[in-house]
Amino acid sequence: MKRSEALASIRNEVEEIVGKKVQLKADKGRKRIVTRVGYIENAFPNLFTVRVKNDFDESLTLSYTYSDVLTSTVEIKVVS
């Protein structure tokens, strides 16, 4: 599968779960993995945004690219 086809497939999968609760595991480098729970807010052509709450109950918007998912830097799991 070509990279562009893989990115299009990932984009379609993310667009299907917009508004659903997800768990994100993001590899921040140097053996640091951050796990957060939030809602996929929007899916744009090159990236998607996730609304999460931090430790102080403040709402944050994080953005990730589809390439992050392709390279396993970010893992998305739908939770109920």
Side-chain angles (χ1 to χ4, degrees):
M1 181 181 290
K2 292 182 181 178
R3 184 172 187 226
S4 60
E5 292 173 0
L7 287 174
S9 172
I10 292 169
R11 184 179 311 121
N12 290 336
E13 290 176 16
V14 170
E15 286 174 350
E16 289 176 6
I17 58 174
V18 168
K20 294 188 179 179
K21 189 174 184 179
V22 294
Q23 177 182 10
L24 292 170
K25 284 187 180 180
D27 183 0
K28 297 292 187 177
R30 296 199 179 231
K31 299 181 183 178
R32 289 182 299 167
I33 297 176
V34 177
T35 303
R36 295 183 182 228
V37 175
Y39 295 89
I40 295 189
E41 200 169 48
N42 289 316
F44 298 105
N46 294 323
L47 57 93
F48 60 96
T49 58
V50 181
R51 173 78 56 173
V52 298
K53 292 204 178 214
N54 65 4
D55 297 335
F56 306 107
D57 272 348
E58 294 176 352
S59 188
L60 301 172
T61 301
L62 305 174
S63 62
Y64 298 100
T65 64
Y66 302 111
S67 296
D68 292 335
V69 178
L70 179 65
T71 59
S72 299
T73 304
V74 174
E75 294 178 12
I76 303 172
K77 179 180 176 183
V78 178
V79 294
S80 348

